[in-house]
């Protein structure tokens, strides 16, 4: 994979955001659509696939293992799968770029196939621990050799047949859950994952759609997802809804910039992904759901968001699994609320593309915002709606969400904010800055 060179970018306040936009396809669903299509027998079609660097890394890895994946001229992606158990030995290392999702889920895929794959990534991804995936996949029989600290580069030697397991997630992680289920697809017997705290359920929904024998049961111990292995997946026509994690930036931007009125079309509203909506509404945000509907088995609506006076709240910790990727945007919203917002329960932020707790504390602090860092979140004292000072250069740390969140903060700052590197935005939202220009009428 070719990585973009660093791109410094200065972002200044531009006035109100106005208009209607669509956000890229959901990143989580895009990854899974490619993987499950690659394991089906026959041809699947995917509309609305996110064409960011992370998802393209997944596509390249699946091609290296035998799947035929092409983007048609009409923008639809076509996948000719190899069937469960049909993955082939890749000729070289699989370059995951910056994508933790690609890495963890594909490790699960390889773990129960008779192949060996080496996973590499960029500097940011190579710092992220993979132990939480290594442990259950090793229990299933995969032989995994990792760099010190359970990090990349690492090698996975799959076992076929692998051993089915019953595994209780020690931390709420949809990636770990999905990695185990992907390994379970080519494993005889029934693989079970027990979730004490529910996480995003895109894998379960999509696996059922592809014809896997899967059940979800609520028990006293939590949600039990049971998957019968040696599955035969049927090809599907998939429509990917808009990514709520990408919509988050416009929900916050329109909320904090006076005079803003934005309609974000076709946003996925899977109940395991709507924590930010809940938190923003608790803070007094004006967000209206229009035309609720179902697209590709997922609930979807258009979201109209208008500027509102935000107030500080204590964000319920139980929202963390349903908004884990949106915390940086939430911290920005808190910077403009009246009072001190406390957002905790998000230990997972420490091991994302960057340590997002420390990164956002440093970024907001450099822009004049009063921030207190906790081990699992931040307390942010807001301006009550006034502009923040701004004027700082932000270390984005190869993290797309830090870059986009601080670009949003700059839209209501007294002085422009410089992002030391905006290139990582391309991993999930290549059109972010073009969309910002659209909503602000190119006003500099």
């Amino acid at each position: 994979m070719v990585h973009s060179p660093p791109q410094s970018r200065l972002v200044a306040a531009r006035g109100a955001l106005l208009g209607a936009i669509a956000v890229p396809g959901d990143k989580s669903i895009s990854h899974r659509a490619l993987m499950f299509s690659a394991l089906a027998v026959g041809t699947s079609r995917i509309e609305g696939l996110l064409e960011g660097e992370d998802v393209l890394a997944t596509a390249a890895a699946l091609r290296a293992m035998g799947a035929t994946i092409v983007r048609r001229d009409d923008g639809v992606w076509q996948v000719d799968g190899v069937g469960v158990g049909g993955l082939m030995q890749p000729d070289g290392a699989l370059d995951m770029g910056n994508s933790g999702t690609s890495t963890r889920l594909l490790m699960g895929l390889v773990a129960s196939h008779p192949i060996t794959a080496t996973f590499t990534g960029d500097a940011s991804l190579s710092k992220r621990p993979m132990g939480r995936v290594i442990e259950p996949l090793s229990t299933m029989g995969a032989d995994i050799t990792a760099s010190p600290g359970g990090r990349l580069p690492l090698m996975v030697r799959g076992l076929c047949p692998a051993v089915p397991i019953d595994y209780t997630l020690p931390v709420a992680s949809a990636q770990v859950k999905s990695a185990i289920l992907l390994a379970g697809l080519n494993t005889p017997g029934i693989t079970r994952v027990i979730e004490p705290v529910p996480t995003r359920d895109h894998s379960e929904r999509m696996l059922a759609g592809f014809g896997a024998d899967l059940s979800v049961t609520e028990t006293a111990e939590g949600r039990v997802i049971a998957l019968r292995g040696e599955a035969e997946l049927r090809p599907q026509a998939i429509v990917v809804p808009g990514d709520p994690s990408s919509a988050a930036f416009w929900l916050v931007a329109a909320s904090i910039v006076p005079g803003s009125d934005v309609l974000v079309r076709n946003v996925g509203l899977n109940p395991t992904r709507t924590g930010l909506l809940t938190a923003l509404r608790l803070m007094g945000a004006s967000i209206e759901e229009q035309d609720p509907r179902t697209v590709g088995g997922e609930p979807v609506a258009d979201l109209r968001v208008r500027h509102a006076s935000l107030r500080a709240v204590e964000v319920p910790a139980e929202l963390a699994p349903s908004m884990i990727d949106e915390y940086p945007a939430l911290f920005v919203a808190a910077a403009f609320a009246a009072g001190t917002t406390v957002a905790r329960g998000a230990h997972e932020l420490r091991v994302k593309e960057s340590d997002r707790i420390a990164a956002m504390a440093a970024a907001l602090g450099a822009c004049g915002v009063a921030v207190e860092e906790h081990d699992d979140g931040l307390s942010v004292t807001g301006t009550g709606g006034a502009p923040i000072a701004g004027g700082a250069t932000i270390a984005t740390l190869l993290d797309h969400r830090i870059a986009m969140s601080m670009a949003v903060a700059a839209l209501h700052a007294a002085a422009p904010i410089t992002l030391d590197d905006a290139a990582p935005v391309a991993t999930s939202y290549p059109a972010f800055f073009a969309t910002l220009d659209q909503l602000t009428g190119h006003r500099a």
Side-chain angles (χ1 to χ4, degrees):
M1 178 179 293
V2 178
H3 303 290
S4 301
Q7 299 171 6
S8 175
R9 181 181 285 265
L10 184 144
V11 185
R14 307 178 178 197
L17 290 80
L18 301 168
I21 59 168
V23 292
D26 186 284
K27 186 154 72 84
S28 296
I29 294 175
S30 293
H31 282 298
R32 289 159 174 81
L34 286 172
M35 292 184 197
F36 299 147
S37 295
L39 293 175
V41 177
T43 302
S44 295
R45 298 170 63 256
I46 308 171
E47 297 182 42
L49 187 84
L50 169 62
E51 297 181 4
E53 291 176 355
D54 281 11
V55 174
L56 297 182
T58 290
L62 293 169
R63 287 191 190 101
M65 292 186 285
T68 301
I69 304 175
V70 296
R71 184 189 189 278
R72 302 189 330 203
D73 292 342
D74 60 3
V76 173
W77 287 70
Q78 185 169 301
V79 181
D80 291 311
V82 297
V84 171
L87 294 179
M88 296 190 298
Q89 175 69 40
D91 291 334
L94 304 178
D95 184 356
M96 300 289 95
N98 189 240
S99 181
T101 303
S102 301
T103 307
R104 294 187 176 106
L105 270 60
L106 289 170
M107 285 173 63
L109 203 59
V110 170
S112 61
H113 281 74
I115 61 176
T116 298
T118 298
F119 293 83
T120 63
D122 68 10
S124 170
L125 181 61
S126 297
K127 295 177 182 178
R128 299 178 66 181
M130 298 295 159
R132 63 181 56 176
V133 181
I134 292 172
E135 194 273 328
L137 296 182
S138 297
T139 303
M140 297 180 77
D143 181 7
I144 302 175
T145 304
S147 297
R151 291 173 168 82
L152 270 58
L154 61 76
M155 178 181 293
V156 180
R157 300 175 184 84
L159 176 67
C160 185
V163 180
I165 60 173
D166 288 6
Y167 190 78
T168 299
L169 295 178
V171 296
S173 173
Q175 291 182 2
V176 176
K177 171 178 65 177
S178 297
I180 297 168
L181 293 176
L182 280 160
L185 282 172
N186 196 42
T187 299
I190 297 177
T191 296
R192 293 181 180 87
V193 180
I194 299 94
E195 284 189 310
V197 178
T199 65
R200 57 184 66 175
D201 64 353
H202 303 304
S203 292
E204 298 95 299
R205 288 172 181 255
M206 195 174 292
L207 279 170
F210 272 86
D213 185 351
L214 178 143
S215 66
V216 179
T217 307
E218 301 289 344
T219 72
E221 289 73 37
R223 294 174 76 242
V224 178
I225 302 100
L227 174 69
R228 184 174 297 278
E230 299 179 306
E232 294 186 12
L233 303 186
R234 300 185 296 266
Q236 300 293 305
I238 300 167
V239 179
V240 180
D243 196 329
S245 297
S246 296
F249 302 109
W250 309 122
L251 300 183
V252 171
S255 293
I256 66 175
V257 178
S260 295
D261 188 347
V262 173
L263 182 70
V264 189
R265 295 195 178 100
N266 196 45
V267 180
L269 293 182
N270 183 301
T272 64
R273 299 288 300 281
T274 55
L276 181 70
L277 272 179
T278 300
L280 288 177
R281 284 169 170 157
L282 288 173
M283 298 172 74
S286 173
I287 304 173
E288 176 188 350
E289 296 176 24
Q290 299 181 352
D291 189 20
R293 54 202 183 272
T294 300
V295 176
E298 295 274 348
V300 168
D302 303 329
L303 299 179
R304 184 181 183 186
V305 54
R306 286 169 277 193
H307 172 253
S309 297
L310 301 182
R311 59 183 177 270
V313 298
E314 184 166 341
V315 180
E318 59 266 24
L319 290 179
S322 62
M323 59 181 289
I324 197 66
D325 286 333
E326 289 77 68
Y327 270 92
L330 175 71
F331 295 148
V332 170
F336 297 92
T340 300
T341 295
V342 180
R344 304 191 63 170
H347 298 87
E348 182 77 4
L349 295 182
R350 295 286 188 187
V351 292
K352 288 290 188 177
E353 282 83 339
S354 67
D355 178 340
R356 286 179 176 163
I357 294 173
M360 288 303 297
L364 290 172
C367 293
V369 180
V371 180
E372 179 184 358
E373 183 175 337
H374 309 291
D375 63 341
D376 60 347
L378 296 178
S379 294
V380 182
T381 300
T383 64
I388 61 172
T393 296
I394 304 301
T396 59
L397 305 174
L398 294 175
D399 192 324
H400 54 132
R401 300 203 193 280
I402 302 299
M404 288 185 281
S405 295
M406 292 310 298
V408 168
L411 300 178
H412 198 36
I417 292 173
T418 300
L419 308 177
D420 71 340
D421 185 8
V425 169
T427 65
S428 67
Y429 200 161
F432 174 82
F433 289 105
T435 303
L436 175 58
D437 287 342
Q438 175 189 337
L439 288 173
T440 56
H442 297 271
R443 297 188 295 275

